[in-house]
Amino acid sequence: MNELIDLMMRHRSIRQFTDEQVSEQDIQKAVAAGQMASTSGAIQSYCVIQVEDSANRDELVTLTGNQTKVARCGAFFVICGDTRRHRLIADRDELPYDTRCEAFLLAVVDATIFAQNMALAFESMGYGICYIGGLRNDLPAVSSLLNMPEGLYPLFGLCVGRPAQDPMIRPRLPQPGVLFKDHYPDDATMMAMVEDYDTTMLKYFQDRGAGDRIWSREMSGKFSEPKRMSLGPYYRDQGANLD
Ligand SMILES: Cc1cc2nc3c(=O)[nH]c(=O)nc-3n(C[C@H](O)[C@H](O)[C@H](O)COP(=O)(O)O)c2cc1C
């Protein structure tokens, strides 16, 4: 272990924050660290919008499914895949901007790697973070609230602030369930690991007073029906070609 790995191993999402703001200096440090993440072919197709306006923060609480931490955290960011920059460059060079699903994926992958480096940098400065996938509940509304132009793909939010809670660390799958050598395991081996993890998680939920929850049952339920069906049409409207 080293200090960085120790920090990573201590990660837990923080959902309650003190009133302390996140200093501009710390924001700049974290964004700089995020920017130094690897980026596919140096394209850097991402950006981050810090939402400072308190009325907009309040509106985002509603849009994310009443997640009050969006307004109460020290700083709230919207992480976006950003293809607009490249579109403007293409316009300048009088070339078509004609990339397909690959360009969308590049933006999503790059933005996510950027965000995690940024999040880790915040954690290294003693802040707590929580990603907000609830941002995708109603992206057309988020988009018009924050004036997002064509080519911008809002992906998720990020709450940052000084922790006002000390939640338990959430166990992950056993490593043999995610790290394979040379080939993917057979289904029986995989399901044995799932059962193993269900036992670990059952204890975790019980210790937290969250009842007898079975992780794998929650997963099958979660993926048994389509969710957020407006995402495909929304990203297409923003200019994504998903073919
Ligand atoms: C992309 C993404 C979106 C998430 N969205 C939410 C969210 O909307 N609200 C929330 O409370 N937590 C959200 N989380 C936090 C996860 O629930 C959390 O990371 C997961 O349960 C593991 O717990 P841990 O981060 O404490 O280890 C999100 C995490 C990720 C990576």
Side-chain angles (χ1 to χ4, degrees):
M1 292 285 193
N2 58 37
E3 269 179 41
L4 176 59
I5 296 177
D6 279 348
L7 175 79
M8 294 164 107
M9 297 304 290
R10 285 197 310 273
H11 162 79
R12 69 271 192 275
S13 292
I14 295 297
R15 297 181 171 86
Q16 287 166 27
F17 300 93
T18 69
D19 291 339
E20 191 180 324
Q21 296 301 298
V22 181
S23 74
E24 198 54 38
Q25 210 183 23
D26 288 349
I27 291 171
Q28 285 170 10
K29 277 188 211 162
V31 172
Q35 285 187 266
M36 288 315 293
S38 295
T39 152
S40 321
I43 61 171
Q44 303 165 78
S45 47
Y46 53 75
C47 69
V48 54
I49 299 177
Q50 182 185 358
V51 185
E52 292 189 302
D53 183 280
S54 61
N56 284 353
R57 291 268 290 269
D58 288 342
E59 182 60 22
L60 285 168
V61 168
T62 309
L63 293 175
T64 55
N66 290 320
Q67 299 203 49
T68 50
K69 54 187 171 287
V70 167
R72 291 194 185 146
C73 61
F76 181 72
F77 302 92
V78 175
I79 309 291
C80 305
D82 184 355
T83 63
R84 185 157 188 88
R85 208 178 281 125
H86 297 138
R87 288 165 198 259
L88 294 175
I89 296 169
D91 274 356
R92 183 202 62 191
D93 294 346
E94 297 178 358
L95 286 170
Y97 181 81
D98 183 17
T99 52
R100 310 292 164 101
C101 186
E102 172 67 359
F104 181 74
L105 278 182
L106 286 173
V108 173
V109 170
D110 266 22
T112 306
I113 295 173
F114 159 78
Q116 179 55 22
N117 257 27
M118 176 176 154
L120 205 51
F122 275 123
E123 288 183 324
S124 78
M125 293 186 278
Y127 294 102
I129 64 104
C130 186
Y131 286 106
I132 302 294
L135 189 86
R136 295 189 303 276
N137 286 347
D138 188 351
L139 282 183
V142 170
S143 220
S144 67
L145 187 72
L146 303 178
N147 294 324
M148 292 182 165
E150 187 185 27
L152 206 62
Y153 312 139
L155 299 173
F156 45 82
L158 182 69
C159 294
V160 180
R162 293 288 176 205
Q165 61 173 168
D166 186 15
M168 288 166 66
I169 290 172
R170 195 177 177 117
R172 298 300 200 256
L173 285 159
Q175 199 166 100
V178 295
L179 171 63
F180 312 128
K181 303 284 182 184
D182 297 322
H183 61 83
Y184 196 80
D186 60 50
D187 293 349
T189 307
M190 179 58 85
M191 287 310 287
M193 279 181 267
V194 166
E195 257 180 53
D196 215 26
Y197 187 54
D198 276 343
T199 309
T200 308
M201 286 304 285
L202 178 64
K203 179 161 186 332
Y204 163 80
F205 287 130
Q206 286 170 341
D207 289 350
R208 276 180 56 199
D212 294 345
R213 289 170 56 182
I214 307 293
W215 177 82
S216 63
R217 296 254 172 242
E218 294 189 0
M219 294 303 111
S220 56
K222 202 190 236 320
F223 296 111
S224 63
E225 55 187 32
K227 293 235 168 71
R228 295 177 179 153
M229 292 301 288
S230 62
L231 287 181
Y234 167 77
Y235 285 128
R236 284 195 177 93
D237 271 2
Q238 285 295 99
N241 184 340
L242 305 178
D243 293 335

